[in-house]
Amino acid sequence: MHPQDFEKVVSPVSVAHFSQYKLTASLLKQLEDLSFHVYTSQALEGLNHRPLKGREILLGHECVSIDATGQCVKATAAVLEEGKYMRKNIQCNILVGTDGAGSTVRKLVGIDLRGERNLQNLVSVHFLSRDLGQYLINERPGMLFFIFNTEAIGVLVAHDLKQGEFVLQIPFYPPQQSLEDFTPKICEKLIFKLIGQELSDIDVIDIKPWVMHAEVAEKFVCNGNRIILAGDAAHRFPPAGGFGMNTGIQDAHNLAWKIASLVKGIAPSSILETYEMERKPIAVFNTTLSVQNFRAAMGVPAALGLDPAVANSVHQIINGGVGSVLPYGLQRVILDGIFTVGRAQLSEYLLNERNPLGSLRLARLRSIFEEGKSLQLQFPAEDLGFRYLKGALVPDSNSSLGAPEPPTGRRRDYVPSADPGSRLPHMDVRVLSDLSSEEIISTLDLVSSDKVEFLLIIAPVDESWPLAHAAVKVAKEFKASAKVCVLWPNGTVRGIVAGSKVALTTLEDYVNVVEVKRSPTSSSWWDICQMTDKGAILVRPDEHIAWRMKSGIVGDPIMEMERVFSTILGVKPTQIYETSN
């Protein structure tokens, strides 16, 4: 990771490495704080005889059937209890399948995946060792360790060095190998071989096989916009670069306000179609990028004479070629022998500067690292700079919507943009209030997180006031709400701000903020947005820009806001008036 990843310049928070199960526990705790009730399988008996009340989470359940032929979606969820499956029938208007890479929801509704399958079989070993964590902190701190030696090969992920929590990824070649070849004791020995010493405090917690794929669902929304896929259920990537978690969180962020808009009668069900319209191209792009990153990582063992593509080809020949007629035991012996010969390429006898072949391989290895062609962990341009080209937004009338720059597999820095469809840029601002202490927050914090509310950011100029009133009035007509933010330049004195209070006095919800520059040479807000100081930006509840005006509005602001909200929500102004009447 680079130093700028921790400087909080382009985001109010710095990058972090966070394991999935800890994120899940954190989310569950947050839901309980929001008055959700969490039921374990032991506490489910009473639930089977009554309908769900809402805000209820049934742990350990799996969706086993879906019927979307009627007016509502009927789903059956099952949990294994004392050797028997207990079933719970659930009726809903919208079913969101976020049930992981092997999604049963996706399979039950018949949505296929497209992309590259079976890139690699692996066994994941979750274990604890404070001794190993302390050794790495003292000797060679890091997050990701690719380990190649003559006895074993693996990738060690350090989830928490202080707590000594790790996950080891080991190449797996079924059917010649089975999960029985990876018992806790065997895994302990593999770990000792990989790290070069025995650990007295090792504790193997879990062992799971899995298959690496790079695929995207053909559809994210189906059955009349009533069944939706999100997260790993909609796309699955190689775990290189954090794309799985980041893309899944982005899906939820995009989808939440749209479902809320439908439920609250603000938008028709067609707004859910914009979820697929916006999110699927991002998933396809990230799939390509994650595969490029995975293959870059495999360039290191290939340079050492351990090309994973060759190993997989040999495995395929044994499975499907002449080797397939041989007894499994003999197949296993052949496979083990080939891998032993392969790992011998790593011996000190061969891999040294005095050996011509070893010297050549070491030179290739140095070249990969010096040129930055190995695995990349950070992709700021993709994590923060992704942009929706069409959907619940109003494109600039004078801009051509070209395809995004194709992925290169290399890190690109995030350049903030106020183009429609982009994420709202971050800047620290001071909230101007009547209180003695004035809070410093991010522009992202101005967006409401608990209701369907649009944010209009305006410059403190006379032309902005009619637009502010129009946005609030029209949003209300569309059953939504809008908050106005007047963003003042750095150095503004409080007396000048009083003018906006007079101009906006009839508005229920507005806020004055002033730029907080990191240094005197830092760009102003409107420079960051590449707009004039007579501009305006309308931000959606998911912090993406829905519309902007670069340098002042032309024409009637009411008519312009009607056009904007109509386009975003998929509701014609005439429908609003008919409903009101």
Side-chain angles (χ1 to χ4, degrees):
M1 297 184 184
H2 294 191
Q4 64 262 38
D5 296 329
F6 302 94
E7 291 173 355
K8 301 183 182 180
V9 174
V10 297
S11 173
V13 295
S14 62
V15 65
H17 171 61
F18 202 48
S19 54
Q20 183 175 336
Y21 85 94
K22 288 183 178 178
L23 175 66
T24 302
S26 178
L27 291 172
L28 206 57
K29 174 65 169 61
Q30 178 72 5
L31 287 167
E32 289 180 308
D33 291 345
L34 293 169
S35 301
F36 278 73
H37 298 283
V38 179
Y39 294 95
T40 61
S41 57
Q42 291 79 16
L44 289 172
E45 194 169 336
L47 287 178
N48 290 316
H49 306 293
R50 66 163 177 82
L52 294 177
K53 297 176 181 177
R55 290 180 179 253
E56 294 179 326
I57 298 174
L58 315 184
L59 294 180
H61 281 65
E62 179 183 16
C63 184
V64 294
S65 72
I66 297 171
D67 179 4
T69 55
Q71 293 203 341
C72 64
V73 178
K74 298 177 181 177
T76 302
V79 61
L80 189 63
E81 181 68 22
E82 296 180 355
K84 294 181 180 179
Y85 275 102
M86 297 172 60
R87 296 175 182 266
K88 177 75 181 173
N89 295 320
I90 303 167
Q91 289 193 5
C92 56
N93 293 318
I94 300 170
L95 173 66
V96 184
T98 60
D99 50 340
S103 172
T104 53
V105 171
R106 185 185 67 233
K107 294 170 185 173
L108 287 168
V109 296
I111 295 178
D112 292 328
L113 293 163
R114 289 285 178 266
E116 297 187 54
R117 292 183 57 81
N118 303 319
L119 290 170
Q120 182 73 57
N121 283 273
L122 295 144
V123 168
S124 177
V125 183
H126 183 192
F127 71 96
L128 300 176
S129 172
R130 285 181 180 267
D131 288 351
L132 177 58
Q134 197 57 50
Y135 163 75
L136 292 173
I137 287 172
N138 295 334
E139 301 295 331
R140 49 199 317 174
M143 189 192 89
L144 203 57
F145 301 84
F146 287 78
I147 309 171
F148 310 99
N149 63 43
T150 56
E151 293 191 89
I153 290 171
V155 179
L156 184 67
V157 186
H159 280 294
D160 191 329
L161 288 176
K162 289 183 179 178
Q163 296 297 320
E165 183 175 20
F166 301 89
V167 172
L168 176 65
Q169 305 289 359
I170 308 167
F172 180 42
Y173 295 93
Q176 291 78 21
Q177 292 180 330
S178 70
L179 199 55
E180 293 173 0
D181 296 315
F182 296 91
T183 63
K185 279 295 176 190
I186 292 173
C187 287
E188 284 182 14
K189 291 179 180 178
L190 271 170
I191 292 165
F192 298 158
K193 288 177 181 178
L194 285 165
I195 65 171
Q197 61 180 316
E198 293 198 5
L199 301 167
S200 60
D201 67 339
I202 190 168
D203 180 13
V204 175
I205 298 170
D206 194 23
I207 303 166
K208 286 182 179 176
W210 64 283
V211 186
M212 186 188 297
H213 305 288
E215 297 176 300
V216 177
E218 286 189 321
K219 291 187 285 187
F220 285 20
V221 181
C222 66
N223 291 85
N225 304 330
R226 294 182 298 165
I227 299 178
I228 303 166
L229 299 179
D232 288 354
H235 39 72
R236 45 196 194 181
F237 313 121
F243 290 107
M245 181 182 288
N246 281 303
T247 310
I249 290 172
Q250 293 163 14
D251 289 346
H253 207 193
N254 184 289
L255 185 58
W257 77 272
K258 294 175 180 178
I259 290 179
S261 297
L262 173 59
V263 170
K264 293 178 180 295
I266 297 169
S269 67
S270 59
I271 197 169
L272 299 180
E273 295 168 9
T274 68
Y275 163 69
E276 178 176 322
M277 203 180 296
E278 294 175 352
R279 292 303 307 157
K280 187 177 177 184
I282 304 299
V284 171
F285 185 97
N286 286 353
T287 303
T288 302
L289 188 54
S290 67
V291 171
Q292 290 175 340
N293 201 31
F294 166 68
R295 290 192 170 132
M298 294 303 99
V300 171
L304 294 170
L306 291 168
D307 193 336
V310 173
N312 289 333
S313 296
V314 169
H315 186 227
Q316 288 172 5
I317 290 170
I318 292 175
N319 282 340
V322 268
S324 61
V325 300
L326 300 174
Y328 268 131
L330 186 53
Q331 291 182 30
R332 171 68 181 267
V333 170
I334 293 170
L335 196 65
D336 287 346
I338 291 170
F339 291 160
T340 300
V341 171
R343 291 194 301 272
Q345 307 298 307
L346 301 165
S347 68
E348 292 182 9
Y349 169 78
L350 180 60
L351 202 62
N352 66 76
E353 295 291 357
R354 295 183 302 278
N355 184 300
L357 180 58
S359 177
L360 178 63
R361 287 175 174 173
L362 289 171
R364 285 178 186 163
L365 191 63
R366 282 193 295 271
S367 174
I368 287 172
F369 290 126
E370 288 169 1
E371 295 175 19
K373 292 182 178 178
S374 61
L375 177 79
Q376 305 290 303
L377 290 179
Q378 277 296 101
F379 291 87
E382 287 71 33
D383 290 340
L384 297 175
F386 61 96
R387 179 187 174 197
Y388 305 135
L389 298 181
K390 58 180 182 178
L393 53 89
V394 183
D396 284 343
S397 57
N398 59 350
S399 68
S400 57
L401 293 178
E405 185 181 330
T408 63
R410 309 268 56 81
R411 173 189 171 120
R412 294 183 299 152
D413 286 330
Y414 163 58
V415 179
S417 167
D419 290 337
S422 300
R423 193 164 183 265
L424 179 69
H426 155 69
M427 185 180 199
D428 282 333
V429 292
R430 179 178 288 106
V431 179
L432 299 178
S433 69
D434 297 328
L435 302 175
S436 56
S437 61
E438 295 179 338
E439 187 182 9
I440 293 179
I441 62 173
S442 166
T443 46
L444 296 163
D445 295 323
L446 295 166
V447 182
S448 174
S449 61
D450 59 1
K451 56 184 173 181
V452 181
E453 179 182 81
F454 291 82
L455 173 71
L456 181 70
I457 300 176
I458 56 174
V461 293
D462 289 344
E463 297 93 327
S464 296
W465 313 139
L467 178 64
H469 286 280
V472 172
K473 178 179 184 295
V474 172
K476 195 172 292 185
E477 289 171 355
F478 277 79
K479 301 181 184 177
S481 62
K483 179 171 74 175
V484 175
C485 169
V486 187
L487 205 152
W488 294 81
N490 183 55
T492 300
V493 295
R494 184 180 293 276
I496 297 174
V497 177
S500 71
K501 292 186 177 181
V502 174
L504 303 177
T505 187
T506 59
L507 297 186
E508 295 176 7
D509 197 4
Y510 76 94
V511 61
N512 283 292
V513 302
V514 63
E515 298 172 344
V516 177
K517 287 192 174 184
R518 293 176 62 86
S519 73
T521 58
S522 297
S523 298
S524 71
W525 169 255
W526 298 108
D527 285 341
I528 289 172
C529 295
Q530 299 176 30
M531 296 167 61
T532 72
D533 59 3
K534 292 182 174 58
I537 297 171
L538 185 68
V539 188
R540 308 188 317 193
D542 64 350
E543 300 171 359
H544 279 256
I545 295 168
W547 167 88
R548 69 162 172 192
M549 175 187 67
K550 281 190 173 183
S551 58
I553 197 163
V554 177
D556 181 2
I558 290 283
M559 290 182 65
E560 176 63 6
M561 285 295 98
E562 286 179 345
R563 180 183 77 89
V564 167
F565 278 98
S566 173
T567 304
I568 296 167
L569 299 173
V571 181
K572 295 179 181 178
T574 52
Q575 292 176 295
I576 295 292
Y577 300 136
E578 286 170 5
T579 305
S580 301
N581 294 334

